[in-house]
Amino acid sequence: AEYLEEQISILENRIRELENPTVQGSGMVLQNPYIGQDAPTLGMLHLSRIQHIEIPPQLREQLLSAFLSYASELGFFLDPTRFYASATPGSSTTPPPSPALLQTVILLATHIYSTDSITSDMKAELLSQAVNSTSQALSSNHPDKVLQTIQAHVLLAQYFFLNGRKLEGRYNVTMAVSLVLSTRLHRIRSLEEMERSSFTYATNTDTSLPQPRDAREEMERIDAFWVVLSLNSCWATSEGTTSSLTYWKSQFRVDTPWPGRQIPLASDATSTSTIQLFLACGADAGYSMLALHAKACILFEQSHELSSRFSPSLSSQSTQKWVEICTSLRTLARRFQSELPRIETAPSPAVSRQLLVIHTLTYVTKIRILSLMSWDPSGEATRRAALEAVYLVKKVDLHETTFIDPIMGVSLPQQIWIIDTDTYLLMADALDDDWTNTYARSVSIYGNNDVFRYAGATGIT
């Protein structure tokens, strides 16, 4: 309890700092790279004396390229070609990215791309500047400030989760959720609202969204919603906290179509009850990697949500309804898993890593559902599912990988430890050194958790 109070106090102080950024620090500020003079050599800069820093053009391009190679796995929903063009001086007529977005991209790129030119002190200053810029981004005059601010919060959340700073990660997820809901990104192409001809993206002037300029921008907004939902579902579930996006309640019903559909959408295309139809085992068009990932996150969240709804004091009628929902979710998880593309068929390393996360979340969902009822009295099905999930990792080449979704270090080990420590031992024995150097990074950052202290004792970390 004392530790939790301390962490809450730290987060409250951080929130106050973000809401009242009145005092300018003495550290570096990542300047807009399109303005001003030739960039100084990083080695000539003295941290204690400078107010501004520019990333040299060659290094900036290397960092941007490194970031974009993992963009889809980091939750980057903006069009990567347009973004790179706008972030490269002289190569685009579109406005450059907002300072908040550019700084968070550079910050994450320094995590992915190893270079002696960026020191740990510089990374700390880049983080400070990215956080401050993001907190003020909505008050800027940037033409794409709303969507780019959502993107900045998503990337900051990923950065904090990667570094084990879960409270700050959850804060940024909550901010992203607040923005997608306030701009009504959960009701894009809503049948109900389009029939009433009442659909608007927002009413608040600070977070208003005009009609999309073209089909690609509409797809960015659709992708933005599903990225935020997935991030919230995964981390709220893993941390056992209240979800910030309760899509199963009528007032937050999601009508936005699944991401990855053919663009442009037909002018009269509509969508309704997207998640409800999926949970009811209805057919849909959600087969892109982003859609499959969102579905896996939803199943993951629903399996835990079901466990919180059960109580021995439920009436017989309520208990029967709960059992029916459990059975339906089990059937859906089985069908979903059977329809997933195999990792071996992935056309690129990035897609294989995405499929690894999707398959793993699906296995964790199956394990969780098995624990809800007496479907696996011997524990054999749980052990088999756990080992199958572990062996999936060996189907992905992680030797050259510098990033893997940090949820991989939480979801599977935590779930198995809670249910069956013997299964956890079997999982540990199944691992080898071919992939642990990369995979363990997403595990070892959560060293305060009993799961990972145990993992270290068994040689996983």
Side-chain angles (χ1 to χ4, degrees), residues 147-220:
L147 209 59
Q148 292 196 11
T149 300
I150 295 172
Q151 183 68 87
H153 278 299
V154 166
L155 296 179
L156 275 177
Q158 291 282 30
Y159 179 86
F160 285 126
F161 289 138
L162 278 167
N163 288 277
R165 296 166 66 169
K166 293 180 284 186
L167 287 172
E168 288 161 297
R170 284 292 302 153
Y171 169 76
N172 279 280
V173 172
T174 301
M175 292 298 293
V177 169
S178 176
L179 284 172
V180 299
L181 291 178
S182 66
T183 52
R184 302 176 67 75
L185 294 187
H186 62 307
R187 294 292 174 87
I188 297 175
R189 296 284 182 140
S190 169
L191 172 62
E192 176 185 330
E193 299 192 17
M194 292 184 78
E195 283 180 342
R196 296 201 311 257
S197 299
S198 64
F199 179 77
T200 57
Y201 276 98
T203 55
N204 184 302
T205 55
D206 286 337
T207 58
S208 60
L209 274 176
Q211 290 298 315
R213 291 181 289 249
D214 54 29
R216 196 164 296 278
E217 186 172 300
E218 182 177 40
M219 296 311 295
E220 285 181 336

Side-chain angles (χ1 to χ4, degrees), residues 201-461:
Y201 276 98
T203 55
N204 184 302
T205 55
D206 286 337
T207 58
S208 60
L209 274 176
Q211 290 298 315
R213 291 181 289 249
D214 54 29
R216 196 164 296 278
E217 186 172 300
E218 182 177 40
M219 296 311 295
E220 285 181 336
R221 296 180 184 187
I222 291 171
D223 290 356
F225 171 76
W226 290 108
V227 164
V228 171
L229 179 139
S230 299
L231 198 60
N232 175 75
S233 293
C234 270
W235 286 97
T237 301
S238 293
E239 295 302 302
T241 57
T242 301
S243 176
S244 300
L245 209 170
T246 50
Y247 49 81
W248 52 90
K249 297 181 179 179
S250 58
Q251 63 266 40
F252 299 116
R253 187 192 73 236
V254 173
D255 289 341
T256 299
W258 292 111
R261 296 176 66 177
Q262 183 177 0
I263 58 172
L265 296 176
S267 59
D268 59 349
T270 59
S271 180
T272 186
S273 304
T274 310
I275 297 177
Q276 282 79 359
L277 288 173
F278 166 64
L279 293 175
C281 299
D284 58 49
Y287 292 104
S288 67
M289 283 298 106
L290 183 51
L292 293 176
H293 181 252
K295 289 178 176 180
C297 294
I298 290 167
L299 290 172
F300 178 52
E301 182 173 38
Q302 285 300 301
S303 66
H304 285 67
E305 177 67 19
L306 268 178
S307 66
S308 68
R309 293 183 203 171
F310 180 77
S311 169
S313 61
L314 287 176
S315 66
S316 58
Q317 183 178 3
S318 296
T319 300
Q320 180 59 34
K321 183 178 180 180
W322 182 85
V323 170
E324 290 172 359
I325 296 173
C326 284
T327 304
S328 176
L329 188 64
R330 186 189 189 197
T331 301
L332 175 60
R334 283 176 164 176
R335 192 190 77 177
F336 176 72
Q337 186 179 44
S338 70
E339 295 175 352
L340 285 177
R342 292 164 47 196
I343 294 176
E344 301 93 322
T345 66
S348 68
V351 173
S352 68
R353 293 190 297 268
Q354 289 175 285
L355 283 172
L356 171 63
V357 175
I358 293 167
H359 277 278
T360 300
L361 289 172
T362 306
Y363 270 110
V364 173
T365 297
K366 288 180 62 178
I367 293 169
R368 184 65 180 177
I369 293 173
L370 286 171
S371 73
L372 294 179
M373 298 182 64
S374 303
W375 281 320
D376 185 28
S378 68
E380 180 59 32
T382 297
R383 285 189 287 273
R384 184 171 61 253
L387 290 174
E388 287 174 359
V390 170
Y391 282 116
L392 287 174
V393 180
K394 298 186 178 185
K395 297 181 180 181
V396 179
D397 183 6
L398 298 178
H399 290 90
E400 302 300 324
T401 297
T402 56
F403 168 83
I404 191 166
D405 194 328
I407 199 68
M408 291 288 289
V410 179
S411 57
L412 182 62
Q414 187 179 62
Q415 186 61 61
I416 298 171
W417 175 261
I418 291 171
I419 293 174
D420 187 350
T421 54
D422 289 337
T423 303
Y424 197 94
L425 280 168
L426 286 173
M427 187 182 78
D429 290 340
L431 306 180
D432 56 43
D433 293 333
D434 288 341
W435 59 272
T436 29
N437 287 337
T438 298
Y439 182 81
R441 278 202 291 274
S442 66
V443 176
S444 60
I445 57 175
Y446 298 97
N448 288 330
N449 191 303
D450 286 341
V451 173
F452 303 109
R453 283 203 295 271
Y454 184 81
T458 56
I460 297 179
T461 60

Side-chain angles (χ1 to χ4, degrees), residues 24-25 27-31 51-54 103 125-126 129:
Q24 294 294 328
M28 295 183 299
V29 178
L30 183 63
Q31 285 285 78
Q51 291 289 331
H52 305 281
I53 181 173
E54 290 183 358
Q103 288 156 8
E125 294 294 343
L126 292 175
Q129 185 62 18

Side-chain angles (χ1 to χ4, degrees), residues 34-75:
Y34 322 103
I35 300 174
Q37 310 160 356
D38 293 337
T41 303
L42 289 178
M44 298 169 58
L45 300 174
H46 298 282
L47 289 175
S48 61
R49 298 179 182 178
I50 65 175
Q51 291 289 331
H52 305 281
I53 181 173
E54 290 183 358
I55 302 294
Q58 183 178 2
L59 177 58
R60 183 177 64 245
E61 289 188 18
Q62 291 170 339
L63 290 170
L64 289 174
S65 295
F67 172 84
L68 289 173
S69 66
Y70 289 93
S72 58
E73 298 161 76
L74 287 162

